[in-house]
Each structure stands twice: as C-alpha cells, then as structure tokens.
Amino acid sequence: MSVVKEFTKGLWQELPPFRLVLGLCPTLAVTTMAKNGLGMGLATTFVLINSNVIVSVLRKIIPGKVRIASYIVVIASFVVMAELLLQAYWYPMYEELGIFVPLIVVNCIILGRAEAFASKNPIVHSLADGLGIGLGFTISLTILGGIREILGTGEFFSMAVMWPSYEPFSFMVKAPGAFVCLGFLLGLMNIISRRRPAH
Amino acid sequence: MSEYLLLIVSAILVSNIVLARYLGNCPFLGVSQKMDTAVGMGMAVIFVVTLAGMITWVVQYAILNPLGLEYLRTIAFILVIASLVQLVEMFLQKSIPALYKALGIFLPLITTNCAVLGIAIINIQEEYDFMHTVVFSFASGVGFTLAMVLLASLRERFPTARIPTTFAGMPIAMITVGLLALAFLGFTGLVD
C-alpha cells in the first residue's frame, strides 16, 4: 500500500472513534466543547505520530515477548512530554482536559496502532498512518464537541450561533448526552456506509 | 465512619466511574454482551483497582514526592499497573486456580482499562489519605461492576427486541448507556 493510502484510510475506512470504536473515554469526556475536542485530538495526534515513528524505528530491536510493555513505555514517555508541553504553552487547555491528559497513555487507539501497524511497517508508512488516524480522531472529536456545544449551550467555539431566544439543551453537555449523541452519530455512520459500499 | 459511607455512596452512585466520570468505557461496552462475562470483568476490576490504588499511593508518597519526580507520575503509574496485573495473573494461576479460571481472560485486558489508571490519579489529585484511597478505589470498582451488570442485563434482551438495523450493535448500546446515565443523573445532590 502506498504512503498516501496509509494516510487517507484514517480519514474514512478506519476513522476513529466512529469506524473503529476505540478510545471512547476521551471521546465522551472532553467533547462538551468543540475547542476541547480539538485540543484533545491534537494532543493524541502528537503522541500517536511520535510513538508510531519510534516503535517503527525500534521494531527489529524490541523482542517479541516484551513488546507490549515496551510500547507502553514509549507511549507513556510521549504522554509525559505532551503533559509538560500543554502545561507550558497552553495552560487553560491543560486545566480543561484535566485527568484525561495523563489518560492518553491508555487510549487503546495508540497502543492498537503500535501493535497492529507500526511494529510491522517502515518509518514513513507509520508516520503517514499516525498522521491520518490522528487527524481523523481530531476531526471526529471536534465535530462531536461542536454538536454538543451548539445544542447544549447555543455556542460554537464560544461564539453564539443560535437565535437569541434559543433555550440551551443542557442535557447534551452532561454525561447522558455524550452517550446518546455518539450513539446517533454511529447510527448515521451506518446509514452513510450502507449508501456508499466499501471500495 | 459516616465520612467513609458518604465516600462509598458518592463513588458508586453519584459520580459513578463509568456513567458520570467517563472512565473505563472500552471494556464497559466491549464485554457487556453477556451477564457472566460482565460479572467476571467486574470482579477482576474490583480486585486490580483496589490493589493498584494502594500501591500507586505508596509509590507517589514514598518514592516520587521525596525525590521530586512528580512529573513522572503517568509513566510510573502505568508501569506499576502493568506489572501488577502480570503478577496478579501469575499468582492466581499458581495459588488460586479456581479464581484464575474465572478471571483469567479478563486480567490482561485490565492494563489498558483507563478506570484503573484514572482512579489511581484521582486518589492523588484529591489528596486522599491511605484509608480514603483504599475505600474510594474499592467503591469505584463496585460502581464499575454495578454499571456493567445493569448494562449486561439490558443488552441480553437485545436479540429479542426489534431494533432498527441502522442502530443494531454499537449505536443502540451507546444510547442505552445514555439512558442509564440519565437515570444515574438522578442521584446528583445525594452527597455534596
């Protein structure tokens, strides 16, 4: 498969979290606002690209038996870096995301890509894969956050977008709204993918 | 004593680990199709989360804080949890084979269950002392099991329900969880 294909598959065929139902905790937890979804997506993409590249570089050195532990150490190192970078340069976002920044380490998308892709493929392909999946995840989280923010508060990226008399539907920014909203989006994905058969 | 009781009620009902704190959703949705696997996973989580909560608390206050290495918390905790799960697995296999048979397949999955790492981090962030850590970790595990058992008992009825094909599988499960979370929202304000 070509490098371009590795990149684009993350945007539709294997789009997380809709096509690959993985990494649900950050997806549900931080998407009360489009901005938080974007921030979480970018932080995850940073970790995903770097861990994919490092795992791919070391794929012939890491012994098979301890590979999962080694991947976790690589991922955790980059998560600590992401934590420190956020603290230094984007502190309000670090506060907003809270506990979910350290929890990027147990996002199954990242470990999944290391095990299923980066450990078997050359560096450039792994980089493209990380970039594609990360970008897909970022877009999905921003869309989910956008829908919940618009319906729940009447704003989008903190700008009022609904008519002035709009009554905010606060259910959407609470926990149940997250699950229901994601459920409907997954149903929508089912409809779209049935109309557009896999090619 | 009443303080611990409040902590337990709040961890199980008011801020349920899955339905209000959004932790541990992957195993929650992944293995809740059947009641017996749901119970097995729940028990394994209670066991590991309580042990992990205690050990990570000791690691934080006996190793990381005195050495000024707080920024390494994430990496230290995940390593502790991964090796703990491995040890528990080996220990159960050798000494309590019956329990190993019941929990065996769920144990490796627990390393990437974000509820375990999440609770360990919450214990530190809330600055709980050791007893609070033990109680809170255990109660959160029980809350996870409760949510899991509730969802499994609902999902066991899906095959006989007429679900639109568009929503079959994951979407309807997600919406069911949403309704379950809505019910749990009713506990808000029970404990301050």
Side-chain angles (χ1 to χ4, degrees):
Chain A
M1 284 227 279
S2 70
V3 177
V4 180
K5 211 167 172 194
E6 299 299 351
F7 173 70
T8 53
K9 76 170 187 286
L11 301 178
W12 179 253
Q13 284 149 288
E14 300 188 12
L15 176 70
F18 298 126
R19 304 302 296 262
L20 292 174
V21 188
L22 289 176
L24 290 173
C25 300
T27 305
L28 294 160
V30 304
T31 53
T32 49
M33 282 195 282
K35 199 174 108 205
N36 291 359
L38 183 67
M40 176 47 95
L42 291 179
T44 309
T45 308
F46 167 80
V47 177
L48 184 57
I49 293 173
N50 284 307
S51 74
N52 255 9
V53 169
I54 297 295
V55 166
S56 176
V57 169
L58 299 176
R59 71 185 188 278
K60 297 207 175 82
I61 302 168
I62 295 175
K65 275 188 179 163
V66 294
R67 65 182 195 288
I68 299 291
S70 319
Y71 300 159
I72 289 180
V73 175
V74 170
I75 295 168
S77 317
F78 285 110
V79 170
V80 173
M81 269 185 233
E83 263 182 281
L84 294 174
L85 283 172
L86 274 176
Q87 272 181 46
Y89 296 108
W90 203 3
Y91 195 70
M93 184 53 74
Y94 178 77
E95 291 274 278
E96 283 284 337
L97 298 179
I99 190 174
F100 290 94
V101 180
L103 286 182
I104 295 175
V105 72
V106 280
N107 187 326
C108 9
I109 296 173
I110 299 175
L111 190 61
R113 292 328 287 175
E115 164 75 3
F117 194 89
S119 60
K120 301 185 187 83
N121 288 285
I123 300 165
V124 183
H125 289 71
S126 303
L127 180 75
D129 176 79
L131 206 59
I133 299 271
L135 193 63
F137 188 63
T138 309
I139 295 171
S140 308
L141 254 62
T142 312
I143 292 174
L144 187 60
I147 295 173
R148 287 180 64 197
E149 191 183 0
I150 291 172
L151 293 176
T153 62
E155 293 176 337
F156 184 61
F157 280 100
S158 304
M159 284 182 299
V161 287
M162 302 299 259
W163 55 95
S165 63
Y166 176 74
E167 193 70 44
F169 185 32
S170 66
F171 167 78
M172 291 307 287
V173 290
K174 295 207 173 101
F179 290 108
V180 172
C181 187
L182 187 57
F184 275 101
L185 281 180
L186 287 174
L188 187 69
M189 291 304 274
N190 277 350
I191 296 178
I192 298 173
S193 53
R194 213 175 308 141
R195 290 256 169 84
R196 261 183 54 170
H199 42 78
Chain B
M1 194 62 221
S2 69
E3 191 191 344
Y4 291 120
L5 205 63
L6 283 180
L7 192 62
I8 292 172
V9 172
S10 116
I12 296 178
L13 296 177
V14 182
S15 19
N16 184 283
I17 189 81
V18 192
L19 299 172
R21 285 189 197 263
Y22 315 95
L23 293 173
N25 275 297
C26 292
F28 178 62
L29 286 155
V31 291
S32 59
Q33 263 126 337
K34 291 254 157 52
M35 189 56 112
D36 46 350
T37 55
V39 173
M41 184 67 174
M43 293 301 151
V45 166
I46 294 181
F47 190 60
V48 171
V49 106
T50 314
L51 268 179
M54 291 194 268
I55 296 175
T56 49
W57 191 90
V58 173
V59 167
Q60 175 77 26
Y61 287 102
I63 299 174
L64 296 182
N65 278 2
L67 296 176
L69 294 172
E70 288 89 349
Y71 64 93
L72 285 181
R73 188 167 67 201
T74 311
I75 196 165
F77 279 17
I78 192 71
L79 287 178
V80 166
I81 291 169
S83 26
L84 174 72
V85 170
Q86 199 80 52
L87 279 178
V88 167
E89 201 180 340
M90 290 194 298
F91 172 77
L92 288 184
Q93 201 172 5
K94 284 265 183 293
S95 44
I96 322 175
L99 193 61
Y100 177 76
K101 254 191 192 152
L103 304 184
I105 48 164
F106 303 109
L107 284 171
L109 290 174
I110 289 183
T111 312
T112 51
N113 182 341
C114 59
V116 180
L117 181 61
I119 291 168
I121 295 174
I122 292 173
N123 284 331
I124 304 302
Q125 280 183 345
E126 300 282 327
E127 294 174 353
Y128 287 147
D129 60 21
F130 189 69
M131 258 332 273
H132 279 86
T133 296
V134 176
V135 172
F136 178 76
S137 308
F138 178 76
S140 296
V142 174
F144 180 84
T145 310
L146 174 70
M148 192 99 176
V149 167
L150 285 175
L151 182 64
S153 53
L154 289 169
R155 281 182 86 170
E156 278 195 333
R157 288 162 185 259
F158 281 6
T160 55
R162 287 196 303 159
I163 298 164
T165 46
T166 310
F167 283 99
M170 210 37 114
I172 194 72
M174 205 65 96
I175 292 170
T176 312
V177 178
L179 297 176
L180 211 53
L182 194 60
F184 270 70
L185 209 58
F187 292 115
T188 313
L190 198 65
V191 177
D192 277 336

